[in-house]
Amino acid sequence: MRRLGHAIGRGPALTFAAPLPLHAGKEAPGKANFMRKATAAAALAVLFTLSPTPANADPKPAERVTIDVVTVNGSGCRQGSAEVVVSPDNTSFWVIYSDYLAQAGKGAGATEFRKNCQLNLQVNVPQGFTYGIAEATYAGYGNLQRGATGYQYVNYYFQGQSATNTWKHTFTGPFDDNWSITHRTEFADIVHAPCGEKKNLNVNSSLRVDKGTSDPNANSFMTMDYTRGEVRTLYHFSWKRC
């Protein structure tokens, strides 16, 4: 299992570089992986220098919370292309993808229209506390031709429990822009891990692109990765005393 360090505190998805076009001239996506990793590393360096924004008044542990990545599976997060970082004030954690892209149309392989990622996370919670997920933000970039459609799916749940409802969002071409989606849960509806039990958190997501009636000589794609210098997913903890 890998234990990863800290990042930035509570807040919306943040941009650390100017939103330059991901693929100048609408070229088909195919950047070298080292470029993705270099961008992620540079932006992480900025993350470590920022001061966290104060969280709400909910109780939270003073002792550092860490997260171990137990398993990583899926075509959208091949081994070594996903990182998890916990905020120093224990209010949130980031999942950082560096190679999460689905595409259809010209230049796309037969299986590239759908990408998914399944993370199994062990959240190491100090004694006397338990946690749930109060809010989650997902973001990325999409370039969909007229007639093409993009989809983003997500659910998260504790080991041994039924999966939450799967949230599905649809993007209709023509579309060429950043996208961002936030799910907020009322406190009374937040599912918290059972006190005193080790229940890993499963975080599942997927992207899909259907070319539909779009020009077969054009490419449509959606990303949820780090290539544009932006943090793509952010989860806010809800803490409770046991």
Side-chain angles (χ1 to χ4, degrees):
M1 295 188 294
R2 293 177 296 154
R3 178 162 295 175
L4 301 146
H6 12 295
I8 180 175
R10 186 178 179 91
L14 300 178
T15 301
F16 300 103
L20 300 175
L22 179 59
H23 304 290
K26 304 290 190 297
E27 62 190 53
K31 284 193 173 183
N33 195 44
F34 79 91
M35 289 297 293
R36 299 178 186 275
K37 292 180 180 294
T39 305
L44 271 177
V46 178
L47 281 173
F48 285 112
T49 67
L50 297 179
S51 300
T53 303
N56 56 25
D58 293 341
K60 62 181 179 181
E63 184 182 342
R64 281 289 292 123
V65 174
T66 60
I67 295 179
D68 293 324
V69 181
V70 181
T71 59
V72 180
N73 292 297
S75 55
C77 57
R78 284 185 278 269
Q79 197 68 34
S81 67
E83 300 279 345
V84 177
V85 254
V86 183
S87 67
D89 61 357
N90 294 335
T91 61
S92 56
F93 68 93
W94 306 87
V95 178
I96 302 171
Y97 305 101
S98 62
D99 192 18
Y100 202 156
L101 180 149
Q103 60 175 325
K106 185 177 181 180
T111 62
E112 292 186 69
F113 71 96
R114 182 181 181 274
K115 294 294 179 72
N116 73 298
C117 182
Q118 302 177 15
L119 300 177
N120 184 266
L121 307 177
Q122 178 179 303
V123 182
N124 302 301
V125 178
Q127 188 173 3
F129 285 88
T130 186
Y131 75 97
I133 302 300
E135 181 179 307
T137 295
Y138 300 83
Y141 185 81
N143 187 321
L144 302 172
Q145 304 297 321
R146 185 179 301 277
T149 308
Y151 304 92
Q152 188 254 2
Y153 307 82
V154 63
N155 65 45
Y156 40 88
Y157 57 95
F158 291 108
Q159 183 179 358
Q161 297 180 349
S162 299
T164 61
N165 292 331
T166 298
W167 288 281
K168 174 184 175 181
H169 297 274
T170 303
F171 303 84
T172 303
F175 181 88
D176 184 10
D177 205 351
N178 294 309
W179 59 268
S180 180
I181 297 164
T182 296
H183 306 295
R184 296 182 179 89
T185 305
E186 296 297 327
F187 183 80
D189 297 325
I190 297 172
V191 177
H192 291 81
C195 283
E197 297 184 35
K198 288 285 187 181
K199 295 289 185 180
N200 290 353
L201 178 66
N202 294 302
V203 177
N204 301 321
S205 64
S206 65
L207 292 175
R208 179 184 176 119
V209 176
D210 291 339
K211 63 181 180 181
T213 60
S214 64
D215 182 351
N217 293 315
N219 179 278
S220 294
F221 64 89
M222 290 192 66
T223 74
M224 197 162 66
D225 62 19
Y226 212 70
T227 328
R228 293 172 62 84
E230 298 169 4
V231 174
R232 293 309 193 185
T233 62
L234 173 64
Y235 297 85
H236 294 299
F237 287 120
S238 169
W239 292 106
K240 284 177 62 177
R241 296 186 184 275
C242 293

